[in-house]
Amino acid sequence: MAMDLERVVEQARETFESGGTRSYFWRRSQLRALKDLLHEKEAAICEALKLDLGKHRVEAYRDEIGFLIKSVDHALQNLKKWMKPEKVSVPLVAFPTTSEVVLEPLGVVLIFASWNFPIGLSLEPLIGAISAGNSVVLKPSELASASSKFLATNLPKYLDNKAVSVIEGGPLVGQQLLEQKWDKIFFTGSARIGRIIMTAAAKHLTPVCLELGGKCPAIIDSLSRSRDVKVAINRVAGAKWGFCSGQACIAIDYLLVEEKYAPFLVDLLKEKIKNCYMRPADLTRIVNKQHFQRLREMIEDPLVADTVVHGGSLDQESLYIEPTILLDPPLDSEVMKEEIFGPLLPIITLKKIGDSIEFLKGRPKPLVIYAFTNDEKLKKRIIEETSSGAVTFNDAVIQFALDTLPFGGTGESGFGKYHGRFSFDQFSHRKAVMRRSFCLEFSFRYPPWNERKLQFLRYIYSFNYVGLLLLFLGLKRCSST
């Protein structure tokens, strides 16, 4: 297997070094082929997602197929513009000089995908890597075996299989891939595996992009208008239970709310669950028994079990966990220390909603902070006083779909941004290029230095126009003293 991997990487590098992936026409043809795959294999993708996670066809299209088609279209519409060198201004004291930034592909990149959106989180970074002109080796998650098999079987039929390869396998294969030399490693997954990726990448000084996660909070302010309350509850519930059953890095992990408002909020959430999320068919199932057991241990912790105010039933055979609400579980419990990644929703009460700022500042930086409020002062405080990969007001999860916003974390929630142009930049090197003419040249004898020359240099660097004039009028005299 190790020799096969080495051959795959070698072939990818040979293809890249031949220059075939650099042209606009190659990049466009690969993006179009990827779009054809998504359209022509829609039914097969939905079937794979159903086998892996029990996703309904509508959810599969909304969160993965349709999302990817949108991303490919965006890349196709903007590819020429992204590839153009970027002209940059040059100080007049550098005349005659022109400068630009040239976007060049990095080379051969390795993409590790996650299991919760096994098609979307495989192909979204692939769109950026192809757009930027790289060769790619993709390692889908073995925990979503049907999706992994789909990608391994179908991508070679649509894409240039000398430049884009799919490698299936478990942790051993992942370890063997990390032993190879790459020009970039892009990883989506847990912080624990992210540390392993960084350690392996350090051997070759390989740059990495880590898309991790963390505990994304939602601040729920007291909303005066009944319609605003209804909309907020719909969006909170959808972002927790309607989006892969909470098995998403951007899902709401817990709520922060004022004590006096908590009973009202609990009642509204219960009603929403009753109307929309009562049947197992309404929810994506837990991915496997290991993750099911992890969530079971969280909820069956004696100190946590007493805080359950709704739900809590589990069915190991069908890997189903009922949408569950917990009111004020201990802050030192696993459910409040670790990313939940499941349909459990803790609610933490505060004396006043402004205390949420200090609460968040004392914890690791999340991928996203959500806040449902009409209070502009609170919004300003959240932006200025907290740190997170993103902030979204009065909605949740939707920011993930916007190609014009960078997606990624900060601190323990990861680093590196992608989506849209940010994906292209993630897999590109910004090369500085300066062009200077032979037309003008002045003799400037550096040593011995003296105060007059130093004063002259101060003028040049402080005033572009004055400095340029002095350069022409005084340089000859300065160099001769």
Side-chain angles (χ1 to χ4, degrees):
M1 174 62 78
M3 289 299 294
D4 291 343
L5 291 179
E6 289 179 8
R7 179 56 196 150
V8 167
V9 178
E10 183 181 342
Q11 177 180 267
R13 192 163 297 282
E14 288 172 357
T15 303
F16 174 76
E17 291 178 353
S18 73
T21 66
R22 289 175 175 262
S23 74
Y24 167 75
F25 300 101
W26 182 87
R27 303 183 199 196
R28 184 182 63 179
S29 70
Q30 298 304 294
L31 291 172
R32 284 179 170 176
L34 199 54
K35 185 176 178 179
D36 289 341
L37 166 69
L38 294 166
H39 281 297
E40 295 170 11
K41 298 294 183 180
E42 177 184 327
I45 293 172
C46 289
E47 182 61 24
L49 293 172
K50 184 177 181 180
L51 290 171
D52 285 332
L53 291 152
K55 287 191 178 183
H56 189 279
R57 184 165 186 160
V58 173
E59 184 178 353
Y61 191 90
R62 181 196 66 186
D63 297 342
E64 305 207 42
I65 301 169
F67 177 85
L68 289 166
I69 291 172
K70 176 267 306 174
S71 294
V72 174
D73 283 339
H74 184 76
L76 284 168
Q77 291 166 9
N78 293 280
L79 184 58
K80 272 190 177 180
K81 181 173 66 176
W82 294 346
M83 291 177 64
K84 284 183 179 179
E86 301 171 4
K87 297 291 184 182
V88 296
S89 61
V90 178
L92 285 174
V93 293
F95 178 85
T97 298
T98 60
S99 297
E100 62 185 6
V101 176
V102 173
L103 283 296
E104 67 176 15
L106 294 173
V108 182
V109 302
L110 173 62
I111 296 174
F112 283 105
S114 184
W115 53 263
N116 51 339
F117 298 90
I119 303 296
L121 294 181
S122 293
L123 300 187
E124 180 68 21
L126 180 65
I127 291 168
I130 289 174
S131 299
N134 298 279
S135 288
V136 184
V137 174
L138 169 65
K139 164 67 173 66
S141 173
E142 71 280 6
L143 299 183
S145 57
S147 298
S148 178
K149 183 178 179 180
F150 170 85
L151 292 169
T153 302
N154 289 283
L155 277 185
K157 297 177 182 178
Y158 284 81
L159 302 184
D160 180 353
N161 55 28
K162 292 183 179 179
V164 180
S165 301
V166 180
I167 300 295
E168 291 191 278
L172 179 60
V173 171
Q175 182 180 348
Q176 291 171 342
L177 284 168
L178 288 173
E179 292 171 359
Q180 307 299 314
K181 180 172 173 39
W182 306 94
D183 297 299
K184 184 74 174 254
I185 298 175
F186 186 101
F187 170 77
T188 305
S190 69
R192 180 181 66 85
I193 304 299
R195 292 184 177 91
I196 295 173
I197 300 289
M198 286 195 69
T199 301
K203 178 181 177 182
H204 298 292
L205 295 179
T206 303
V208 298
C209 175
L210 300 182
E211 299 296 339
L212 305 178
K215 298 182 71 64
C216 299
I219 300 168
I220 313 294
D221 198 1
S222 301
L223 299 168
S224 56
R225 295 175 55 194
S226 60
R227 184 185 178 279
D228 291 350
V229 174
K230 182 178 179 181
V231 170
I233 293 302
N234 286 341
R235 293 174 179 176
V236 167
K240 182 60 182 181
W241 298 299
F243 198 62
C244 202
S245 279
Q247 298 174 104
C249 58
I250 53 174
I252 293 174
D253 197 272
Y254 63 95
L255 305 182
L256 295 172
V257 63
E258 288 185 354
E259 284 181 357
K260 62 184 180 182
Y261 193 59
F264 177 59
L265 181 65
V266 169
D267 289 341
L268 291 174
L269 288 170
K270 286 180 180 180
E271 186 66 23
K272 186 64 181 178
I273 291 170
K274 179 181 177 182
N275 292 335
C276 298
Y277 302 105
M278 283 298 292
R279 301 174 304 158
D282 297 328
L283 294 168
T284 299
R285 71 164 184 263
I286 306 306
V287 64
N288 57 29
K289 290 181 179 179
Q290 178 184 351
H291 284 270
F292 182 92
Q293 184 60 30
R294 180 183 62 84
L295 291 166
R296 164 173 265 168
E297 290 173 0
M298 281 186 177
I299 199 172
E300 291 183 349
D301 177 340
L303 296 177
V304 173
D306 291 340
T307 68
V308 173
V309 293
H310 179 81
S313 64
L314 307 96
D315 185 344
Q316 184 166 340
E317 185 176 344
S318 63
L319 297 178
Y320 169 75
I321 296 179
E322 183 183 7
T324 301
I325 303 172
L326 306 97
L327 185 59
D328 282 323
L331 297 181
D332 60 352
S333 62
E334 287 298 302
V335 78
M336 284 307 299
K337 290 194 302 183
E338 300 295 327
E339 185 177 9
I340 294 172
F341 232 67
L344 316 181
L345 180 61
I347 298 176
I348 304 300
T349 61
L350 307 167
K351 293 296 183 183
K352 57 182 186 296
I353 202 65
D355 294 342
S356 59
I357 304 295
E358 291 303 317
F359 186 94
L360 296 179
K361 286 167 68 175
R363 282 160 177 76
K365 299 175 182 180
L367 185 58
V368 193
I369 293 174
Y370 301 111
F372 292 82
T373 180
N374 291 318
D375 185 339
E376 294 302 322
K377 290 183 179 179
L378 179 61
K379 292 179 183 179
K380 184 177 180 181
R381 287 193 65 199
I382 292 169
I383 294 171
E384 294 180 353
E385 298 180 35
T386 68
S387 181
S388 58
V391 176
T392 297
F393 293 112
N394 299 332
D395 207 340
V397 173
I398 188 65
Q399 79 286 343
F400 184 80
L402 303 185
D403 291 309
T404 50
L405 283 177
F407 177 81
T410 181
E412 292 185 25
S413 57
F415 51 83
K417 308 293 184 184
Y418 76 123
H419 288 189
R421 173 61 192 261
F422 305 98
S423 292
F424 181 87
D425 290 341
Q426 182 62 238
F427 292 101
S428 299
H429 166 57
R430 300 178 67 85
K431 183 195 296 185
V433 177
M434 190 191 85
R435 296 180 174 90
R436 187 165 174 82
S437 171
F438 285 112
C439 293
L440 296 175
E441 179 67 11
F442 299 95
S443 173
F444 192 95
R445 189 180 63 199
Y446 288 100
W449 295 104
N450 58 41
E451 285 299 319
R452 291 182 64 188
K453 292 179 182 178
L454 179 59
Q455 185 63 30
F456 178 65
L457 289 173
R458 287 197 182 105
Y459 278 116
I460 290 177
Y461 282 107
S462 299
F463 306 100
N464 279 342
Y465 293 99
V466 175
L468 183 63
L469 180 63
L470 289 173
L471 181 66
F472 279 101
L473 297 181
L475 189 54
K476 183 177 180 181
R477 178 180 177 186
C478 184
S479 63
S480 62
T481 58

